[in-house]
Amino acid sequence: MKVPFLDLGAAYRELKPEIDAAVARVLASGWYILGEEVEGFEHEFAAYTGAQQCVGLANGLDALHLALRAMDVGPGDEVIVPSHTFIATWLAVSQCGAVPVPVEPDARTYNIDTARIEAAITPRTKVILPVHLYGQPADLDPILAIARKHGLRVLEDAAQAHGARYKGQRLGAHGDAVAWSFYPGKNLGAMGDGGAITTNDSQIADRIRVLRNYGSRVKYINEVQGYNSRLDPIQAAILRVKLAYLDEWNARRSVIAGNYMQALGVAITRQSPPSLILPHTPDWAEPVWHLYVVQHSHPKDLREELAYAGVGAMVHYPIPPHLQKAYAALGYVQGQFPVAEQIANQCISLPIGPQLTERAVTEVISAFEVAINRSGCAAQTIW
């Protein structure tokens, strides 16, 4: 049995009648930019996240960028970012003319290590930008405390964490603003690009609404030099359909993650010495398992074995931002952020998604067990 890493078509097939009807509704409306469909989604997603405001945008990168702009981040400023993240987190800072200042992750959770943040703050620091990576919340309380102490803003990157809870409360309104991506592969994914910010700060929301529409509230009257970054009504309509199923789909992901944890945990404890690390979830976190990521001492061998068995596996993310050519000008060298580099060199993401069948999950587990044995691997769990 072939098990792809992710089958986006399966999500559409499950909701085909509702999605087709939503798209047809937009097409028949004759309104194709902003309008009632986008406003409807903004209202519903704000309510879902517990935020007072939601502003729909063209994609997740724009959500980060425009939120930073709304926080007056510009040339000469610094923004604290994780050293281990998708590069969009850094790019948004650079697009403002500011400098991303990397902080290493916690090796167990993969999220920014809050104990290292304060040492990275300088007089030029403007914002702390934690990422809720792989669908697991970062530890927000100490981040918010540090920000208050130093007079800084907090912008959360929740591109992978739709529906995740921190200490019982859904992400969406802890920091000054939260940026979301609705890229098709996300837990709440459109059928194209899409993004949004949620916030309880009406001034930030108002600024972003102006910035997303050419710097204009009224047509042909431009208050600032803005952008064209508006959530498409067709994508908004699709997201409204999927939002109603988000909790159910996240629950399915949690079941799959639990099956992986139990089965792989039993299998790998028979191995010695250790070479595999399973995900760790703090007691206060309720992840939504956007990705199920393990670390392995021989990731290339393991991926090849899984591929041979017909199981798709991916690496998120093989090159840390500080080692990307795009950031060569910052002068970072290999070894400067060893935790991020180790994660990049050893991580493997297993198939996970709400449409993954029990049979497919069993196939992944069986293939994984065989792959470990064939490659002579040992394992370790960190729970």
Side-chain angles (χ1 to χ4, degrees), residues 206-224:
D206 182 66
R207 287 183 174 184
I208 293 174
R209 287 193 178 95
V210 172
L211 286 168
R212 75 175 176 180
N213 191 42
Y214 299 99
S216 174
R217 301 174 198 270
V218 179
K219 195 168 187 177
Y220 303 131
I221 299 176
N222 303 87
E223 302 173 20
V224 295

Side-chain angles (χ1 to χ4, degrees), residues 98-171:
V99 178
V101 177
V103 169
E104 286 274 65
D106 181 315
R108 285 157 57 89
T109 67
Y110 306 124
N111 282 322
I112 193 167
D113 187 342
T114 58
R116 299 175 186 249
I117 291 175
E118 205 155 12
I121 294 173
T122 76
R124 291 180 292 184
T125 305
K126 203 77 168 279
V127 173
I128 303 174
L129 208 173
V131 179
H132 304 298
L133 200 64
Y134 307 150
Q136 176 157 283
D139 193 359
L140 288 170
D141 281 351
I143 294 172
L144 293 169
I146 292 168
R148 285 192 294 268
K149 177 182 175 182
H150 294 274
L152 305 175
R153 296 277 204 171
V154 174
L155 169 61
E156 303 166 52
D157 183 341
Q160 301 180 1
H162 313 76
R165 293 177 185 267
Y166 176 72
K167 297 186 176 180
Q169 181 182 344
R170 277 203 189 107
L171 299 177

